[in-house]
Amino acid sequence: MPGELVPADYFAPFNVEEIRSNGRPLEVDLGCGDGAFLLAMAREYPDRDFIGVERLLGRVRKLCKKITRSGLSNARILRLESRYTVEWLLPKNCVSRLHLLCPDPWPKYRHHRRRLMQNDFFEAVRQALEPGGEFLFMTDHEEYFHWACERMDAYGKFERLEWQEDTFFYPKTDFQMQWEAEGKSMWRLRCRKPINA
Ligand SMILES: C[S@@+](CC[C@H](N)C(=O)[O-])C[C@H]1O[C@@H](n2cnc3c(N)ncnc32)[C@H](O)[C@@H]1O
C-alpha cells in the first residue's frame, strides 16, 4: 500500500537508508492508531522522517489512505508489533525521538508483565536512540505511569527531562483528545539517552 513501510527482511535490522533519508532526524511513533499525531508531526516538520508502528490491519489501511491523500512524503507506516520493531528491526543509534503515547495500561495485576515499560524494552529503546535522542511516554493511567517511572529509575540509563504541555510543539493524539474530553489528565515522561552513552 502507498505510505506503507515494508521491511525487505523481517528478521534483520533495516538498513538506515531504508528508513531515514540523507541523515535526516527520524521519529518513531509506537502504536500510532489512527495516526492524528503522526500526520500532524509530519506536516509540522517536513525536514524530519516519521514512522508509525501499528499492528491492526484496519488502522494501517486507513492511515495509508490518509498519508496518500495528504501528499506527505515523510510519513510511513509499519504494520508490526512495537516491541519486536524496537528490539529487532530498528538499527542502533538511528532514532532521534521515540514516542509511546497512550499504550494499553494492562490494568489487571496478572497482566502487568505485558506492559511495555519494562527493562528489556528500555534497553532496546536506548540502543535504537542516537546519543542525545529522546523517549517520550504519555498515559492517562496514573498507576501505570508511577509503575513505569519506578522501573525507569531502576533501569537508570536515561536522563529525565522536564516536559510540560507547552514545552514544544506536540499535537494531541486521538486517545488523548478522547480522554481529556472525559476530564482525565495526562501523565508525561520524557527521557534522554546521554550523549556519551
Ligand atoms: C490506545 S491506542 C493509542 C493510539 C495513539 N497512540 C493515540 O494516542 O491516539 C493504542 C494503539 O496501539 C496499537 N497497539 C497496541 N499494542 C501494540 C503493539 N504491541 N504493537 C503495535 N501496535 C500496538 C493498538 O492497535 C492501538 O491502535
Side-chain angles (χ1 to χ4, degrees), residues 4-179:
E4 188 176 5
L5 171 64
V6 180
D9 183 346
Y10 279 88
F11 301 101
F14 284 109
N15 291 318
V16 176
E17 311 77 60
E18 268 180 277
I19 53 176
R20 204 176 72 175
S21 27
N22 303 322
R24 285 152 46 114
L26 171 67
E27 303 205 18
V28 176
D29 180 16
L30 299 175
C32 64
D34 288 342
F37 171 81
L38 187 81
L39 292 182
M41 289 290 278
R43 225 172 261 124
E44 178 75 10
Y45 298 109
D47 52 350
R48 302 184 193 175
D49 289 318
F50 292 87
I51 296 174
V53 180
E54 172 56 55
R55 67 179 174 189
L56 291 185
L57 180 60
R59 293 192 176 164
V60 170
R61 284 199 173 129
K62 272 196 201 155
L63 186 46
C64 282
K65 282 187 191 149
K66 286 186 197 168
I67 290 174
T68 307
R69 275 201 301 268
S70 69
L72 290 165
S73 59
N74 59 336
R76 283 183 295 171
I77 175 144
L78 174 65
R79 187 188 169 212
L80 216 53
E81 204 276 323
S82 295
R83 189 196 308 259
Y84 182 85
T85 302
V86 181
E87 282 187 12
W88 299 105
L89 289 194
L90 294 178
K92 290 189 177 25
N93 300 311
C94 81
V95 179
S96 300
R97 291 206 298 179
L98 206 143
H99 312 268
L100 177 64
L101 308 175
C102 310
D104 192 328
W106 294 107
K108 290 185 184 152
Y109 180 76
R110 69 174 187 279
H111 292 154
H112 283 186
R113 64 199 157 81
R114 299 184 189 172
R115 289 174 163 177
L116 266 179
M117 294 289 284
Q118 314 207 29
N119 219 60
D120 290 353
F121 177 69
F122 297 150
E123 181 57 23
V125 167
R126 194 181 64 85
Q127 300 226 10
L129 287 174
E130 60 192 17
E134 294 186 12
F135 172 59
L136 298 107
F137 165 67
M138 188 166 64
T139 179
D140 72 312
H141 198 280
E142 186 174 355
E143 186 273 329
Y144 184 25
F145 178 77
H146 294 303
W147 188 96
C149 289
E150 266 176 38
R151 274 150 190 81
M152 181 58 91
D153 289 343
Y155 173 70
K157 296 184 188 171
F158 284 107
E159 298 162 351
R160 288 275 287 270
L161 298 177
E162 180 163 351
W163 184 16
Q164 305 296 334
E165 201 172 342
D166 57 356
T167 302
F168 39 68
F169 174 80
Y170 211 73
K172 294 193 178 196
T173 74
D174 292 315
F175 276 77
Q176 181 181 357
M177 285 190 275
Q178 198 175 305
W179 286 331

